[in-house]
Amino acid sequence: MKLFQKNAAELSNMLQKNEVSAVDVVQSFLDRIELLEPHLKAFITHTPAMALQTASEVDSRRNNGEKLHPLAGVPVAIKDNISTQGLRTTCASHILESYIPPYDASVITALKRAGLPVLGKTNMDEFAMGSSTENSAFYPTRNPWNLDKVPGGSSGGSAVAVSAGMAPLALGSDTGGSIRQPASLCGLTGLRPTYGRVSRYGLIAFASSLDQIGPLTTTARDNALLLNLISGYDPLDSTALPGEVPDFTEDLGRGIKNLKVGVIRQNVSEGFDPEVTAAVLKAVSLLRDHGAEVDEVSLPLTDHGLSAYYLIAPSEASSNLGRYDGVRYGYNAGGDSIDEMFSTTRGRGFGPEVKRRIMIGTYALSAGYYDAYYLQAMKVRTMIRRDYDAAFKRFDILIGATTPTPAFNIGEKTDDPLQMYLSDICNITDSLAGVPSLSIPCGISSEGLPLGMQITGSYFNEALLLRVASFLEEAGESLPMRPKVKLPEGGEV
Ligand code: GLN
């Protein structure tokens, strides 16, 4: 097995036993990137020299007998809305195309301190608005399972980097599904942590009451290892919650006996692709066979959740994106007056989906409509939270599909925003409630595409989600998987 085929836990073991150097590990992933990136386009910025530099520092520290972090030398790819000091951070937008942040996001500080080499910044939907990575201002990213399919979004580049073996670990961000949906479409384990678990300092804001950073990996253990590294209180983010952070690897392998599982009726819907529903229900019956107590639960506000999300998220976005005026950040189109400069800069700098969101949000917040739209949506959000509180009195975890269908074709939904929005229907209520939510692989479709299921927990219960995921991995029901990538010129790698 080549190094790039190993997961982060395996690489970490080999590095700690001195069986391999960090430079060799990084080089293996860089070679893979060189081979596949022209076809997949998962990255916006490549940082091979920086990655090798970090790796060689890690190697010399290890050779000097220093005690290092377990993930030291294990490389990582970073979504391009997470600020990296001195390294271009574009949000896949023309307006930030040449923006170089003067500081690191807190998660980046943590990664640097632990010695993880950064392989590059990954492609995404512009400002994380989208579900297919086709809204990138630069180029779409392709799904390594089938190059004609989307990888999901908005963290599509991060998902593809891990899925194709171009990175063992990646960070994404999830506002309304942007980690879980691409994880599902690429066959990965992707976690949206509890809101407040991971610092958002340095994450370029889309909808601040919803945005969370989280790990995309091939296994539950890798996910736990990366979550360990990025979690915890941060005085720089007023929404980061204080309190002890557990070791998320500790509960892995503890089994699922007597676990109370609620199957969300709306998320195994008859309207979904039958292969998706069948795969989820198969995993659920395996849990039942191993001693879990399973019952159905209804979250009737799922549809209203989607509507509420598409008012709340654009409202916050319209305010957050007000700062891109050509003066303080990035692109400036010039003009004869200040008004002209603002409108030309924003008119040229933002893509169509971002403009749509700014307009919806500005409208929803405007004086005459605030009560009818924004306030109403916030009431729905509160009702959704109450539904979750009630559900978690009966159940330890909730299960359903992550996405209604496997990966769709590139171009299939670009002309129909509503269809695109509907691809996150299973993800959005978890986001509105702020609870942790994990997507794991649960099979392959007849077309050869990965299928995913979503496990939701109560606040701060990430460890339980990862424990269930590791149980399903061991039981062979959620096998870590990576595709053989079929190259357009022929051959598989
Ligand atoms: N697809 C959803 C949207 O477009 C969610 C995006 C996200 O989670 N960043 O808003």
Side-chain angles (χ1 to χ4, degrees):
M1 204 197 248
K2 303 252 172 57
L3 289 173
F4 74 81
Q5 291 165 315
K6 296 191 182 293
N7 64 42
E10 291 165 341
L11 293 169
S12 155
N13 277 335
M14 293 176 75
L15 285 160
Q16 290 183 68
K17 289 195 209 134
N18 256 323
E19 291 170 5
V20 67
S21 73
V23 166
D24 287 345
V25 170
V26 166
Q27 194 55 55
S28 175
F29 287 97
L30 291 177
D31 293 345
R32 184 79 176 162
I33 291 173
E34 198 176 310
L35 179 68
L36 288 179
E37 182 59 3
H39 308 293
L40 299 175
K41 306 298 265 175
F43 288 85
I44 292 175
T45 305
H46 294 272
T47 52
M50 198 174 105
L52 286 168
Q53 169 74 24
T54 307
S56 90
E57 279 163 23
V58 165
D59 286 337
S60 29
R61 284 167 62 195
R62 201 182 307 275
N63 292 339
N64 287 338
E66 251 183 76
K67 174 129 183 57
L68 300 177
H69 188 278
L71 289 178
V74 180
V76 62
I78 310 288
K79 187 175 181 180
D80 208 21
N81 59 350
I82 300 178
S83 302
T84 40
Q85 184 175 15
L87 175 63
R88 193 165 78 113
T89 301
T90 67
C91 269
S93 179
H94 284 309
I95 214 154
L96 288 178
E97 194 164 356
S98 41
Y99 169 61
I100 297 182
Y103 66 99
D104 276 326
S106 294
V107 293
I108 300 294
T109 309
L111 297 184
K112 283 188 176 168
R113 202 170 283 149
L116 279 77
V118 171
L119 294 165
K121 304 293 296 288
T122 58
N123 199 16
M124 53 185 280
D125 288 295
E126 184 176 5
F127 281 99
M129 297 174 189
S131 312
S132 67
T133 315
E134 291 164 294
N135 292 340
S136 165
F138 306 125
Y139 34 74
T141 297
R142 288 172 186 270
N143 191 317
W145 291 85
N146 178 336
L147 301 192
D148 296 327
K149 306 278 175 188
V150 302
S154 63
S155 311
S158 285
V160 170
V162 177
S163 170
M166 300 195 282
L169 301 169
L171 286 183
S173 71
D174 187 310
T175 303
S178 280
I179 290 175
R180 292 160 287 160
Q181 190 257 15
S184 173
L185 270 38
C186 291
L188 298 176
T189 300
L191 176 70
R192 169 189 172 85
T194 308
Y195 184 80
R197 173 66 93 189
V198 176
S199 169
R200 289 183 300 108
Y201 179 74
L203 171 65
I204 297 181
F206 161 14
S208 310
S209 77
L210 294 154
D211 299 340
Q212 267 294 284
I213 296 173
L216 285 140
T217 59
T218 52
T219 66
R221 177 167 298 276
D222 283 5
N223 217 280
L225 288 168
L226 189 51
L227 185 64
N228 276 348
L229 184 51
I230 59 174
S231 293
Y233 178 64
D234 178 8
L236 298 172
D237 172 5
S238 60
T239 60
L241 290 157
E244 281 296 292
V245 177
D247 175 350
F248 295 103
T249 62
E250 239 163 34
D251 285 351
L252 300 177
R254 286 220 176 133
I256 49 103
K257 213 166 165 35
N258 298 328
L259 189 77
K260 296 198 182 70
V261 178
V263 179
I264 305 172
R265 189 187 304 155
Q266 289 77 5
N267 288 2
V268 286
S269 157
E270 282 185 358
F272 290 7
D273 183 317
E275 285 190 300
V276 173
T277 314
V280 173
L281 294 179
K282 184 158 168 275
V284 169
S285 48
L286 189 104
L287 294 175
R288 189 190 283 114
D289 294 347
H290 285 80
E293 294 168 31
V294 180
D295 205 349
E296 193 182 79
V297 60
S298 177
L299 292 176
L301 290 173
T302 300
D303 287 346
H304 295 302
L306 191 78
S307 315
Y309 172 87
Y310 277 99
L311 288 168
I312 295 168
S315 295
E316 294 186 23
S318 71
S319 156
N320 274 327
L321 272 56
R323 72 191 68 171
Y324 306 105
D325 53 12
V327 179
R328 288 170 287 185
Y329 296 89
Y331 176 64
N332 178 332
D336 291 337
S337 66
I338 289 194
D339 280 352
E340 191 189 326
M341 181 192 73
F342 284 173
S343 60
T344 322
T345 298
R346 290 169 68 82
R348 289 189 199 152
F350 290 132
E353 183 60 27
V354 175
K355 286 180 188 158
R356 180 170 15 243
R357 307 274 179 122
I358 293 174
M359 285 190 279
I360 295 174
T362 307
Y363 185 80
L365 291 176
S366 60
Y369 295 102
Y370 180 92
D371 288 1
Y373 293 113
Y374 183 75
L375 197 65
Q376 198 67 13
M378 289 303 280
K379 286 180 184 163
V380 172
R381 186 173 192 179
T382 304
M383 288 166 72
I384 287 172
R385 282 213 183 106
R386 287 195 193 130
D387 278 358
Y388 276 83
D389 287 346
F392 284 118
K393 289 206 172 88
R394 283 175 63 206
F395 300 105
D396 300 311
I397 56 166
L398 308 178
I399 286 186
T402 310
T403 55
T405 66
F408 45 93
N409 289 329
I410 292 187
E412 188 178 323
K413 300 188 196 235
T414 36
D415 295 334
D416 190 344
L418 204 59
Q419 281 306 314
M420 192 67 93
Y421 297 171
L422 278 167
S423 69
D424 310 304
I425 182 90
C426 306
N427 317 127
I428 271 172
T429 46
D430 291 356
S431 290
L432 288 168
V435 291
S437 187
L438 177 73
S439 181
I440 60 169
C442 67
I444 303 260
S445 76
S446 48
E447 241 194 303
L449 295 168
L451 304 168
M453 66 189 255
Q454 182 173 262
I455 315 175
T456 305
S458 56
Y459 298 104
F460 296 105
N461 239 333
E462 293 88 353
L464 177 60
L465 305 184
L466 293 164
R467 178 174 128 200
V468 176
S470 74
F471 172 82
L472 288 170
E473 277 173 23
E474 277 161 33
E477 203 54 47
S478 172
L479 289 174
M481 44 177 160
R482 275 185 169 144
K484 280 223 172 278
V485 184
K486 285 200 184 70
L487 299 177
E489 64 264 28
E492 280 188 344
V493 287

